């Protein structure tokens, strides 16, 4: 668990990552992994540039954290992500034994931590991280709103394929 | 969709992968991705050797298929895996837009396609692959049973840490 000041700080760092995604025309979602006060991994959504369905911010951050720690077990570490995790990322959070997940905006279309379903509440699973959503959700959500508005305008102007 | 002869053939290929995992002391789970009659990716569980929580057979196969096809969209392709996918892998199957999933043994502890939950039945999600479970489940399950029996014996003999 993190105190409120730390939560705000780390979510800001995840937002920094999300902005890097927007800067390269990717849906702006950022994630970081924190190990007892140290950021051990930071990533942003990279699906289009890498043409890889797995390249969500959380997956890339968990992958980098496993490499940094030389372990598939990220016990004692926390993940911060600007958007509610999808099924794949929620499953990766469970599989990597992360202690806690802090997420920003809710995702009514694909969120697997509250919105569409809550996989962290599935009792038979062998790991149950603490989950706190809605952190800086206005800022995190506005990044997405601005991005999709830009995309729509580009499409309307014929500057981007549908 | 695949006909029964093709299903049996491809599941056999996934079982070949699972046996490769067992041969390097990993939990024997194998997966392949098939694109209109061609195997475009094949992988086996590699979590311990790579010390990476993401290194499930399905994730590695989807990753390889995206790289082979230079696309995050695996539409029109099918995945064969020897064990019911977990949440992470089921989510990756949805995210990569695979047409169909054929799996072998059921996983009462972590299966997300029937056993613990069925995420493919979540209507709000934007992709719903066809899912068929229980293919060659005896063979797929026996591989796992044999593996875990060997592990227990090694532990009892003090040849393997707990």
């Amino acid at each position: 668990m993190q105190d409120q000041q730390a939560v705000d700080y780390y979510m800001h760092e995840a937002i920094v990552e999300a902005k890097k995604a927007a800067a390269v025309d990717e849906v702006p979602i950022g994630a970081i992994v924190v190990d007892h006060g140290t950021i051990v991994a930071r990533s942003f959504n990279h699906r289009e540039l890498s043409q890889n369905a797995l390249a969500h911010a959380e997956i890339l951050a968990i992958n980098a954290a496993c490499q940094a720690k030389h372990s598939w077990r990220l016990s004692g570490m926390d993940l911060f992500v600007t958007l509610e995790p999808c099924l794949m990322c929620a499953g990766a959070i469970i599989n990597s034994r992360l202690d806690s997940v802090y997420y920003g905006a809710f995702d009514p279309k694909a969120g697997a931590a509250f919105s569409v379903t809550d996989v962290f509440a599935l009792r038979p699973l062998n790991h149950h991280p603490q989950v706190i959503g809605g952190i800086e959700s206005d800022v995190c959500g506005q990044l997405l709103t601005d991005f999709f508005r830009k995309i729509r305008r580009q499409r309307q102007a014929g500057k981007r394929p549908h």
Side-chain angles (χ1 to χ4, degrees), chain A residues 9-99:
Chain A
Y9 172 76
Y10 292 129
M11 187 55 79
H12 174 77
E13 291 299 308
I15 291 168
V16 167
E17 291 302 305
K19 288 179 178 172
K20 291 181 189 171
V24 293
D25 225 19
E26 294 273 358
V27 178
I29 305 162
I32 64 167
V33 175
V34 177
D35 180 16
H36 298 91
T38 302
I39 296 173
V40 294
R42 46 193 316 147
S43 291
F44 55 88
N45 169 51
H46 212 261
R47 188 183 67 171
E48 300 298 331
L49 281 172
S50 62
Q51 283 297 309
N52 192 318
L54 309 174
H56 285 197
E58 301 96 309
I59 293 288
L60 297 173
I62 290 170
N63 186 50
C66 289
Q67 289 183 9
K69 306 304 290 185
H70 308 292
S71 175
W72 66 260
R73 290 182 187 85
L74 304 182
S75 309
M77 302 180 211
D78 301 324
L79 183 126
F80 290 76
V81 56
T82 58
L83 184 67
E84 183 183 354
C86 73
L87 281 169
M88 173 178 75
C89 295
I93 287 162
I94 292 167
N95 290 352
S96 61
R97 310 285 193 267
L98 281 156
D99 266 20

Side-chain angles (χ1 to χ4, degrees), chain A residues 113-124:
Chain A
F114 174 79
S115 297
V116 170
T117 184
D118 180 4
V119 298
F120 297 113
L122 290 166
R123 298 320 304 171

